[in-house]
């Protein structure tokens, strides 16, 4: 067996880092594909809600009052809004 060593290969980012939650300005939102009723959609929704909850905790600790809301937008999309 031969194992190759590679240089300068970027480490894959976790999925949550791809979501621009912390870049949202007040009144802005983004949508995530999540077909209602599927296991993948429920997992995505739970992950987003958990992430936003952790961000709220971290922001409060820093004295930052930004708030976000995760909600189903339609049958195929979840939305994340900055509400404060």
């Amino acid at each position: 067996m031969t194992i190759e060593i590679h240089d300068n290969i970027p480490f894959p980012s976790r999925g949550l880092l791809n979501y621009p939650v912390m870049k949202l300005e007040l009144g802005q939102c983004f949508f995530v594909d999540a077909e209602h009723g599927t296991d993948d959609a429920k997992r995505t929704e739970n992950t987003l809600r958990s992430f936003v909850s952790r961000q709220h905790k971290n922001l409060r600790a820093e004295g930052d009052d930004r708030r976000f809301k995760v909600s189903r937008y339609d049958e195929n999309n979840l939305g994340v809004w900055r509400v404060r």
Side-chain angles (χ1 to χ4, degrees):
M1 172 170 68
T2 304
I3 298 175
E4 294 180 42
I5 297 175
H6 301 276
D7 292 319
N8 301 317
I9 305 294
F11 188 78
S13 65
R14 291 180 52 201
L16 291 174
L17 297 178
N18 295 326
Y19 296 135
V21 173
M22 300 309 290
K23 294 179 182 178
L24 291 175
E25 297 293 329
L26 186 61
Q28 290 182 323
C29 68
F30 66 87
F31 299 109
V32 177
D33 292 337
E35 185 178 341
H36 185 65
T38 64
D39 289 339
D40 189 46
K42 191 61 177 169
R43 190 171 27 259
T44 299
E45 183 174 2
N46 289 341
T47 301
L48 273 173
R49 288 183 187 282
S50 178
F51 177 72
V52 165
S53 178
R54 282 191 313 274
Q55 291 305 314
H56 285 158
K57 181 181 178 184
N58 293 337
L59 289 169
R60 260 193 318 274
E62 297 171 0
D64 191 326
D65 69 343
R66 284 183 286 178
R67 301 296 284 178
F68 306 93
K69 179 172 178 60
V70 177
S71 185
R72 177 148 297 281
Y73 179 70
D74 60 22
E75 288 295 312
N76 296 313
N77 295 287
L78 291 169
V80 180
W81 286 261
R82 177 160 172 211
V83 295
R84 179 169 57 172

